[in-house]
RNA sequence: CGGGGAGUAGCGCAGCCUGGUAGCGCAUCUGCUUUGGGAGCAGAGGGUCGCAAGUUCGAAUCUUGUCUCCCCGACCA
């Protein structure tokens, strides 16, 4: 993509309303545009990031055996009356009345809706288990939205729902999602620690939150240090096999959010292994048994003919929130530092002297070569001065920069700069292109 | 929802106390010079001062109401 054709409205000055790094940088890098408190448009650069996150989530859900579908944003109130959550949910639920005076709502979550779908079609234990998910916008009318997309009112979320015959079977579904989440976050370059958590308004008695450690985290968390660097299970996990040992390995050590923190248990952790920090929740898994299936009569026939309410779980990943969370976990004073898997473009080409024949030609050659290699670089072909281009490229955080100017070309050289380390090397254009192609092909 | 703060040019702000034809920096446009870390000089364009009432000869400025945004807390993915 040529910058001159792109829509990248970067800001030199920081909008006054943004207080934390990710919010500031998302506004400055032209990723998002605020429409109202907690409601944002996703501009092209931000949208690419969002899609990259979404795609990784989708691939890992599919790998774990979940099946994608799509439910609407608007739901009828009746469904929520059945579970008695229509009144219980309170003002966080955005309620809408249509032209026929029917009560509707903008969905804050979809347990009721999918339970409704399930009971319409599934009558026998033979149809279990089922594990379905969708990626959809949701709305919770937070009293006080803040931190940009990390705590917006409208947010993009992946939520999966499992239906099983009993608790033992439900736990297997729970484990699938648990393992899938570890791989999902690892692929995004995040170190997410599963921690025991409160079940909240969704209800149930088994739940883990997946937490990214960051100084600006929303809540205090406590865990055993070894959990932070424990490697992810890996993409070759056999989801049809027994996942319990993998889950046990990660739940044996102490890890809890402040809501369920047990100081005595934490003190049992060796002192040099105790980690108390702040964290950002990027995912949560719940098992809640028959909380919805019972009142909503989602039952199946057992082999003997008796009716049994299905055991359910739900599993969320905050897709839009992760965009902010990654920046919180990965930035410096110059701007964002995208992990390779999430970066909106993997390579940025900087033309240091737009209009100078040899420089333009070299940039053009580099651009076309990378495009043809499937790399999708962002080529800064603007008339801006070198300094402005360096600053902007650093701010938007593309992992690799290819810097081409007359000074280097005189000796037949260009520069490659790695955003994360700041390391630069001078080399012939051919070599630079080969190197960038290798890097981008291997890690994608 | 309790407490606090702010709405003046695209962005960041001053002016308000003490009413009298609306300003600064950045950005934008034009010209010249410059050209490897957010350039310099000269010139230009752009605002019914959130909205609505009221006081006054006269309101960005004073009064009342209202809307929106932000911060702290409670709540939450």
């Amino acid at each position: 993509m040529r910058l001159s054709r792109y829509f990248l409205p970067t800001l030199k000055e920081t909008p006054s309303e943004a207080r934390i790094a990710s919010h500031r940088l998302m506004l400055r890098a032209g990723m998002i545009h605020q429409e109202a408190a907690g409601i944002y448009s996703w501009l092209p650069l931000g949208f690419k990031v969002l899609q990259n996150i979404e795609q990784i989530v989708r691939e890992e859900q599919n790998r774990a055996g979940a099946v994608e579908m799509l439910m609407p944003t608007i739901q009828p109130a009746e469904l929520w009356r059945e579970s008695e959550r229509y009144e219980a949910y309170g003002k966080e639920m955005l309620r809408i009345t249509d032209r026929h005076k029917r009560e509707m709502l903008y969905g804050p979550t979809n347990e009721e809706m999918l339970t409704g779908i399930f009971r319409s079609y599934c009558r026998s234990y033979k149809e279990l288990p089922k594990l379905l998910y969708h990626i959809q916008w949701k709305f919770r009318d937070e009293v006080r939205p803040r931190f940009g997309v990390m705590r917006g009112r409208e947010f993009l979320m992946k939520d999966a729902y499992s239906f099983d015959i009993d608790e033992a079977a439900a736990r297997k579904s729970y484990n699938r999602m648990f393992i899938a989440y570890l791989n999902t976050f690892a692929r995004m370059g995040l170190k997410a620690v599963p921690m025991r958590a409160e079940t909240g308004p969704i209800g149930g008695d088994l739940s883990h939150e997946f937490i990214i450690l960051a100084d600006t985290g929303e809540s205090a968390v406590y865990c055993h240090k070894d959990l932070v660097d424990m490697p992810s299970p890996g993409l070759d996990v056999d989801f049809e096999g027994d996942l319990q040992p993998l889950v046990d390995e990660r739940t044996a050590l102490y890890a809890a959010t402040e809501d369920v923190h047990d100081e005595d248990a934490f003190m049992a952790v060796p002192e040099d292994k105790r980690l108390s920090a702040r964290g950002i929740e990027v995912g949560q898994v719940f098992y809640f048994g028959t909380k919805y299936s019972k009142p909503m009569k989602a039952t199946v026939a057992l082999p003997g003919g008796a009716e049994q309410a299905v055991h359910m779980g739900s599993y969320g990943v905050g897709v839009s929130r992760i965009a902010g969370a990654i920046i919180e976990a990965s930035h410096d004073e110059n701007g964002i530092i995208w992990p390779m898997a999430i970066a909106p473009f993997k390579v940025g080409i900087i033309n240091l002297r737009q209009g100078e024949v040899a420089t333009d030609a070299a940039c053009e050659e580099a651009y076309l070569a990378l495009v043809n290699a499937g790399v999708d670089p962002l080529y800064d072909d603007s008339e801006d001065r070198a300094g402005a281009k360096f600053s902007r490229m650093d701010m938007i955080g593309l992992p690799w920069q290819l810097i081409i100017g007359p000074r280097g070309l005189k000796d037949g050289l260009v520069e490659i700069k790695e955003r994360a380390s700041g390391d630069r090397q001078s080399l012939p254009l051919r070599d630079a292109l080969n190197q960038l192609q290798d890097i981008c092909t291997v890690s994608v």
Side-chain angles (χ1 to χ4, degrees):
Chain A
M1 177 58 64
R2 293 171 200 273
L3 186 61
S4 58
R5 297 203 170 190
Y6 206 51
F7 181 60
L8 186 68
T10 54
L11 306 174
K12 199 154 139 188
E13 286 176 278
T14 303
S16 59
E17 73 268 16
R19 300 296 154 128
I20 63 166
S22 63
H23 190 193
R24 275 200 305 271
L25 288 169
M26 287 182 84
L27 290 167
R28 288 194 58 208
M31 293 178 64
I32 55 172
H33 174 81
Q34 180 166 336
E35 302 295 351
I39 300 179
Y40 297 87
S41 286
W42 291 75
L43 306 181
L45 194 77
F47 187 49
K48 276 197 143 212
V49 167
L50 193 63
Q51 288 181 305
N52 289 343
I53 295 167
E54 182 180 332
Q55 188 54 26
I56 290 175
V57 171
R58 176 176 290 116
E59 288 171 13
E60 295 314 314
Q61 287 293 293
N62 293 345
R63 198 191 306 276
V67 178
E68 187 169 15
M69 60 180 293
L70 184 61
M71 287 176 272
T73 54
I74 306 289
Q75 308 185 20
E78 290 87 81
L79 273 175
W80 288 72
R81 290 220 165 82
E82 287 191 51
S83 68
E84 296 185 342
R85 276 211 291 182
Y86 191 63
E87 307 307 328
Y89 222 96
K91 292 190 173 176
E92 300 234 316
M93 180 184 277
L94 179 64
R95 292 151 210 262
I96 303 165
T97 308
D98 73 9
R99 67 197 299 166
H100 301 295
K101 300 266 176 354
R102 281 188 287 246
E103 294 174 274
M104 313 292 281
L105 56 101
Y106 196 121
T109 181
N110 291 67
E111 279 82 10
E112 284 81 358
M113 183 165 275
L114 191 53
T115 303
I117 292 172
F118 177 87
R119 73 178 170 189
S120 300
Y121 304 107
C122 298
R123 292 287 147 71
S124 161
Y125 73 94
K126 292 178 185 170
E127 307 194 55
L128 297 179
K130 285 284 172 277
L131 183 50
L132 300 164
Y133 76 98
H134 75 161
I135 299 173
Q136 177 63 291
W137 291 94
K138 302 189 165 195
F139 195 93
R140 290 183 197 168
D141 198 0
E142 298 284 345
V143 207
R144 191 184 158 214
R146 63 186 110 171
F147 305 149
V149 300
M150 297 240 292
R151 177 87 186 278
R153 290 193 291 173
E154 189 186 46
F155 54 97
L156 185 62
M157 196 164 174
K158 184 285 301 185
D159 43 316
Y161 303 89
S162 63
F163 301 86
D164 286 281
I165 193 66
D166 56 24
E167 180 173 349
R171 198 160 286 249
K172 287 182 182 167
S173 297
Y174 186 92
N175 288 348
R176 274 180 194 257
M177 287 294 107
F178 191 103
I179 298 302
Y181 279 20
L182 292 171
N183 283 337
T184 300
F185 298 125
R187 276 190 64 189
M188 295 177 189
L190 294 172
K191 289 178 180 172
V193 180
M195 303 195 180
R196 283 197 309 110
E198 221 170 32
T199 51
I202 293 185
D205 54 12
L206 174 61
S207 179
H208 287 90
E209 283 183 8
F210 288 73
I211 301 283
I212 291 173
L213 302 181
D215 296 337
T216 48
E218 64 216 319
S219 53
V221 296
Y222 307 85
C223 74
H224 192 292
K225 268 203 178 86
D226 291 358
L227 286 169
V228 178
D229 290 308
M230 200 173 276
S232 63
L235 303 184
D236 54 351
V237 168
D238 175 15
F239 279 98
E240 304 307 322
D242 185 9
L243 300 174
Q244 197 62 51
L246 286 172
V247 172
D248 289 344
E249 202 182 335
R250 285 161 179 87
T251 52
L253 298 175
Y254 185 81
T257 60
E258 59 189 330
D259 300 330
V260 295
H261 179 54
D262 176 347
E263 190 66 19
D264 292 340
F266 189 52
M267 285 304 137
V269 173
E271 195 172 352
D272 61 325
K273 293 289 188 183
R274 275 179 224 154
L275 180 62
S276 108
R278 312 262 335 152
I280 299 168
E281 183 194 340
V282 288
Q284 186 162 16
V285 290
F286 298 92
Y287 162 69
F288 47 76
T290 58
K291 180 179 163 74
Y292 300 99
S293 56
K294 242 184 199 144
M296 295 186 69
K297 301 186 174 57
T299 62
V300 293
L302 295 170
E307 291 288 318
Q308 162 73 53
V310 292
H311 284 247
M312 295 175 56
S314 69
Y315 316 90
V317 171
V319 174
S320 51
R321 149 176 283 209
I322 286 175
I326 290 175
I327 297 174
E328 285 302 323
S330 181
H331 70 273
D332 63 17
E333 63 281 1
N334 296 319
I336 303 169
I337 303 172
W338 289 115
M340 200 63 176
I342 299 301
F345 298 93
K346 313 303 174 206
V347 178
I349 302 171
I350 296 181
N351 183 335
L352 291 177
R353 187 79 63 83
Q354 196 72 34
E356 202 265 334
V357 178
T359 311
D360 286 357
C363 287
E364 200 66 25
E365 182 187 344
Y367 177 66
L368 293 174
L370 290 174
V371 167
N372 290 332
V375 170
D376 190 23
L378 179 66
Y379 170 25
D380 187 343
D381 60 347
S382 68
E383 303 287 339
D384 293 332
R385 300 165 61 87
K389 294 190 178 192
F390 284 131
S391 302
R392 178 168 53 216
M393 200 60 87
D394 282 348
M395 183 177 70
I396 67 175
L398 307 187
W400 295 92
Q401 298 174 9
L402 176 57
I403 301 164
I404 302 178
R407 189 183 294 176
L409 285 178
K410 219 167 37 193
D411 304 316
L413 299 176
V414 300
E415 274 180 85
I416 289 183
K417 175 179 161 186
E418 183 182 22
R419 175 64 179 88
S421 62
D423 293 344
R424 294 157 167 263
Q425 50 168 321
S426 287
L427 67 183
L429 178 57
R430 254 309 112 203
D431 298 350
L433 292 174
N434 287 336
Q435 197 168 317
L436 289 172
Q437 281 173 31
D438 289 348
I439 292 165
C440 295
T441 336
V442 168
S443 50
V444 172

